[in-house]
Amino acid sequence: AQKVTQAQTEISVVEKEDVTLDCVYETRDTTYYLFWYKQPPSGELVFLIRRNSFDEQNEISGRYSWNFQKSTSSFNFTITASQVVDSAVYFCALGGGSYIPTFGRGTSLIVHP
Amino acid sequence: SQTIHQWPATLVQPVGSPLSLECTVEGTSNPNLYWYRQAAGRGLQLLFYSVGIGQISSEVPQNLSASRPQDRQFILSSKKLLLSDSGFYLCAWSVLSSGRSLKQFFGPGTRLTVL
């Protein structure tokens, strides 16, 4: 069975601080995909990134970066110099070639001005 | 480009009344379609998914049902709503190609309040 754990329920930071959202996963699949989604207050989930299990290169996109470590089954997400607009719920998800991804429970990020 | 629509955006219904939420996808063919519910606890609960017309898989037994009358249309229904049906309902689609799990695209959601 697949499982995604986002242990941080809520994180509160002040603007310009760096923040890391943790994601730990469990799967028996040898090929799988990891995702991060952002859910702003409007409610719609927005896709941020997909990473396949064969690619452990870290990725950076502007202020966002992702650290994929197969050895620890983690796919952490870091926001550098956080901004108020980053306030949202962030979901980590795992897909393993089936139709159904497994979502974590989400981490609520609050960035204070 | 692909787009996904959901309506209505918000809905307030009395207990015991019927429900029909609609989701349509444009710009793609034969998508996998999903209904999720997000209750106050924020987690996403998969309710139904469909890999083709008339093919519905239920993940959680409840008083809700889903139908897929057309390739790009997914409907969530209930004959009698319960208070516990309140929540934020999200429709999503994805394309599964060569056994690879591709990313999901989510609709804007419907906020349902059952009174």
Side-chain angles (χ1 to χ4, degrees), chain B residues 9-58:
Chain B
T10 59
L11 191 60
V12 180
Q13 292 283 97
V15 170
S17 64
L19 172 74
S20 181
L21 302 182
E22 193 163 339
C23 170
T24 58
V25 181
E26 296 176 359
T28 187
S29 297
N30 196 31
N32 302 313
L33 296 172
Y34 309 79
W35 276 113
Y36 290 89
R37 178 170 59 201
Q38 189 176 29
R42 199 177 62 235
L44 287 171
Q45 179 187 36
L46 179 64
L47 301 175
F48 301 95
Y49 72 95
S50 170
V51 300
I53 296 174
Q55 301 178 60
I56 309 293
S57 295
S58 173

Side-chain angles (χ1 to χ4, degrees), chain B residues 68-85:
Chain B
R68 186 170 177 175
Q70 300 180 42
D71 181 44
R72 288 168 288 181
Q73 184 184 32
F74 205 24
I75 298 172
L76 183 69
S77 304
S78 174
K79 292 182 180 177
K80 286 186 178 181
L81 283 169
L82 306 173
L83 285 174
S84 58
D85 291 325

Side-chain angles (χ1 to χ4, degrees), chain A residues 59-70:
Chain A
E59 182 158 341
I60 298 175
S61 175
R63 295 184 297 107
Y64 294 172
S65 62
W66 290 270
N67 183 2
F68 175 32
Q69 293 201 345
K70 231 171 167 178

